[in-house]
Amino acid sequence: MKKYIVVLMVLTGVIGIHSCSEKDLELSNPNQLSPETYFANEAQVQAAVNASYANLQTVALYGRLMWYMLDNMSHEQTPNGQQEADKVTFYDFTYDSSNAQIADFWDSCFRGINKANFVIGNQEKINEIPENLLSASRKRKFIGEARFLRANYYFMLVNRFGNVPLLNGDNTQPEGKPISPKAAVVAQIIDDLTYAKANLLSKSEEENGRATKGAAQALLGKVLLYEKQYGPALSAFREMSGYALEADYYDNFKEETEHGIESVFEVEYDLALGTGAKWDSNVIGAGQNHATFRGQDYGNLDWFNVYPSDDLLVEFEADDSRFAGSFYVVGDTYLDGTKTMEEGNFAENGGNIRPAAWKKYQNYYKQQSENQESGINAKVIRYSDILLMMAECANEVESQAVAVGFINRVRARAGVSALATSLNKQQVFDAIVHERKVELAGEQVRFDDLLRWGRASAFLAGTNFQSGKHELWPIPDREIASNPNVSSEDQNPGY
């Protein structure tokens, strides 16, 4: 069930204003909506929380650009000749501070944060709702969702930009917040997720599509791992319960098997809710935009704008079933087994035949064309990712044998041989690097893995990647122009 987008989505447009201009968040009279008159019952609180989710669906994020940006930068894929130049800039590392896609990513994240802050900042008003209309635990649950979402948006921002404005409900600088150190933002992320994991419902209790206790525990563990706090990260992951691996790896990427036992958090799409505004919501998250272009863009029977890189394809072991769950090759069937992929289906621009095309998130298993839109949810966190992050933590603070145990659970599902528990620390780490590359291919984690391991420069040698520059994106020109408390002196190095 994909219900959370339905309820009073007018809030999406009302609350979705400029990223760092908090004076616009006062909502003094936008369509006669204000905190003083609005937060009166559970339906209204839930609607405000729902609006915070909507920005994840935008074209600037999982609707389209998130896939291109991170998969291209990781060089897990190669652009086809006809791919739009603004997408190729991420593969070539030729983007600059005028890049509209980067600016839209920034704006969409901050609009999501603003919507979450509208809920968090009115916690006192929400707590005044009578208990018979909204219980105390439900109030904390809704606040927990807003804090989870704020943390998630900020995690995306600090990974791409480093230091960013910190919007936490303090309106003492309504004209726009200055840049805050990444450490301060990460501290708020951890605080938000600590609250969220204590107050959110478990996956079995919560409606599909909403943030859960397990999602908060998982994201907290991931944030701590990125901060190299391996012990606390491992503890956060170990608090999770009720998750396991799907028996069939490919079930993670089909519409009918969404929210399965492996799913920790995913971004909702549902074509039945309307797609008429799918091209018109780069950053706002309003209207009928319940479709992602991932299938159309990546599909070899459609636009075929990108294809998996040779480097990625050769990483798979010969008997690894994840290859067949990730890619199409000549001879594979589709459309419910009634059609077969032919050599011509893999012709790139210019006529060369590619050895494979993306299968993850494609609708070809049940239809012949993507029709420019897909309702398959984006998997943000899967339990296999958690197991491999646990292995990374255990390799640092516990034992190699424990770490290998986590890795082997993932390998067993893929049908590849188990690793020996006698591996040394470096061998275990190398195994984790390999396993994450093949298990999570095309899932927007590889580039951040390369960065946090200090391997980006070596892996991307021969590209335009510049160490000391391309670890971060530039702060958008339009943010510098519109926010008086952000200047060119705040720009990231090299831009």
Side-chain angles (χ1 to χ4, degrees):
M1 299 294 290
K2 303 181 181 181
K3 298 178 181 177
Y4 70 67
I5 302 300
V6 180
V7 186
L8 290 180
M9 284 308 297
V10 66
L11 283 172
T12 299
V14 171
I15 306 173
I17 8 87
H18 187 271
S19 63
C20 294
S21 180
E22 295 213 6
K23 65 183 179 181
D24 294 328
L25 298 181
E26 296 174 0
L27 299 178
S28 56
N29 188 25
N31 301 330
Q32 283 71 52
L33 183 66
S34 71
E36 289 73 23
T37 60
Y38 184 70
F39 288 110
N41 55 51
E42 179 169 356
Q44 291 176 342
V45 175
Q46 180 168 322
V49 175
N50 289 353
S52 306
Y53 284 93
N55 277 70
L56 293 170
Q57 295 179 314
T58 58
V59 170
L61 299 184
Y62 289 98
R64 192 179 193 211
L65 295 178
M66 174 84 83
W67 313 91
Y68 272 128
M69 291 166 160
L70 292 174
D71 292 347
N72 279 5
M73 289 194 300
S74 69
H75 280 228
E76 293 175 288
Q77 62 190 19
T78 303
N80 210 332
Q82 80 278 358
Q83 187 179 9
E84 298 161 302
D86 58 7
K87 316 300 187 303
V88 178
T89 60
F90 295 97
Y91 183 83
D92 291 342
F93 295 98
T94 55
Y95 48 78
D96 58 26
S97 58
S98 67
N99 185 285
Q101 287 71 38
I102 290 175
D104 284 349
F105 180 99
W106 173 286
D107 282 357
S108 191
C109 286
F110 272 111
R111 286 170 184 265
I113 289 167
N114 286 341
K115 295 171 187 178
N117 275 341
F118 180 62
V119 178
I120 298 165
N122 284 286
Q123 184 170 357
E124 184 175 337
K125 181 70 176 175
I126 291 169
N127 285 337
E128 292 174 357
I129 299 173
E131 181 80 9
N132 65 315
L133 296 179
L134 182 59
S135 69
S137 62
R138 295 283 290 175
K139 292 171 185 175
R140 293 192 298 270
K141 194 274 292 196
F142 285 125
I143 297 297
E145 286 184 79
R147 294 188 68 167
F148 172 88
L149 290 164
R150 181 170 72 177
N152 186 66
Y153 287 120
Y154 261 125
F155 189 54
M156 290 193 287
L157 285 166
V158 296
N159 286 336
R160 299 282 67 81
F161 299 99
N163 305 329
V164 295
L166 181 58
L167 309 184
N168 55 10
D170 175 10
N171 295 317
T172 57
Q173 292 171 300
E175 71 278 9
K177 292 284 190 176
I179 297 292
S180 291
K182 177 182 176 180
V185 181
V186 170
Q188 178 176 280
I189 292 172
I190 292 173
D191 186 60
D192 279 344
L193 292 173
T194 300
Y195 179 94
K197 75 184 183 72
N199 291 284
L200 291 178
L201 302 179
S202 67
K203 182 177 179 178
S204 62
E205 299 173 297
E206 185 55 277
E207 180 183 16
N208 283 342
R210 309 191 78 90
T212 64
K213 182 182 294 292
Q217 291 162 337
L219 185 55
L220 177 59
K222 185 172 183 177
V223 173
L224 293 170
L225 171 61
Y226 276 39
E227 293 297 304
K228 301 187 185 305
Q229 297 183 37
Y230 301 109
L234 188 56
S235 295
F237 293 138
R238 280 183 165 144
E239 290 180 357
M240 298 176 65
S241 63
Y243 298 92
L245 299 179
E246 296 282 359
D248 185 345
Y249 176 77
Y250 186 50
D251 279 346
N252 287 295
F253 311 105
K254 296 192 296 185
E255 189 168 20
E256 294 80 7
T257 47
E258 291 168 347
H259 300 293
I261 196 166
E262 190 169 340
S263 174
V264 179
F265 185 66
E266 50 193 83
V267 175
E268 302 293 296
Y269 291 98
D270 189 347
L271 304 186
L273 296 180
T275 63
K278 63 180 183 288
W279 285 112
D280 304 323
S281 188
N282 280 15
V283 300
I284 296 174
Q288 293 185 323
N289 64 331
H290 307 290
T292 169
F293 292 93
R294 167 60 174 75
Q296 181 78 23
D297 280 319
Y298 283 36
N300 65 308
L301 302 180
D302 289 279
W303 290 346
F304 202 24
N305 282 335
V306 292
Y307 46 79
S309 67
D310 292 339
D311 171 80
L312 176 60
L313 296 176
V314 300
E315 186 74 21
F316 286 78
E317 297 164 66
D319 54 351
D320 193 332
S321 65
R322 290 170 294 193
F323 188 95
S326 300
F327 313 113
Y328 281 116
V329 298
V330 173
D332 284 348
T333 61
Y334 66 102
L335 190 60
D336 296 318
T338 63
K339 286 186 171 291
T340 301
M341 290 285 179
E342 301 174 356
E343 188 175 83
N345 299 137
F346 297 85
E348 65 172 305
N349 183 283
N352 295 325
I353 302 299
R354 298 303 308 166
W358 286 106
K359 182 178 181 180
K360 279 185 177 179
Y361 293 111
Q362 299 301 142
N363 285 285
Y364 297 144
Y365 67 94
K366 62 179 179 178
Q367 62 192 54
Q368 190 166 350
S369 173
E370 293 287 348
N371 300 318
Q372 291 196 29
E373 55 191 32
S374 172
I376 300 176
N377 291 351
K379 296 290 176 66
V380 179
I381 306 177
R382 294 192 289 115
Y383 192 60
S384 63
D385 188 3
I386 301 301
L387 290 172
L388 294 176
M389 288 191 286
M390 292 176 76
E392 194 171 341
C393 294
N395 194 39
E396 295 290 337
V397 298
E398 287 196 355
S399 73
Q400 283 62 65
V402 171
V404 168
F406 292 129
I407 300 171
N408 281 341
R409 289 174 64 182
V410 178
R411 288 177 64 82
R413 193 257 305 271
V416 290
S417 59
L419 302 177
T421 56
S422 59
L423 297 181
N424 63 36
K425 184 177 181 180
Q426 184 60 49
Q427 290 172 326
V428 171
F429 178 74
D430 291 342
I432 292 168
V433 172
H434 162 78
E435 211 62 39
R436 289 184 67 78
K437 186 173 182 178
V438 295
E439 172 70 26
L440 303 168
E443 296 184 49
Q444 299 76 61
V445 298
R446 171 75 173 162
F447 186 67
D448 283 329
D449 281 350
L450 291 171
L451 291 181
R452 65 191 181 83
W453 293 332
R455 293 192 168 196
S457 293
F459 177 74
L460 296 169
T463 71
N464 291 320
F465 181 88
Q466 297 178 37
S467 179
K469 177 181 179 178
H470 290 123
E471 291 86 352
L472 298 174
W473 283 347
I475 297 173
D477 285 344
R478 69 192 192 202
E479 178 66 20
I480 294 173
S482 63
N483 185 345
N485 286 313
V486 176
S487 73
S488 58
E489 295 180 357
D490 296 308
Q491 187 57 273
N492 283 324
Y495 296 103

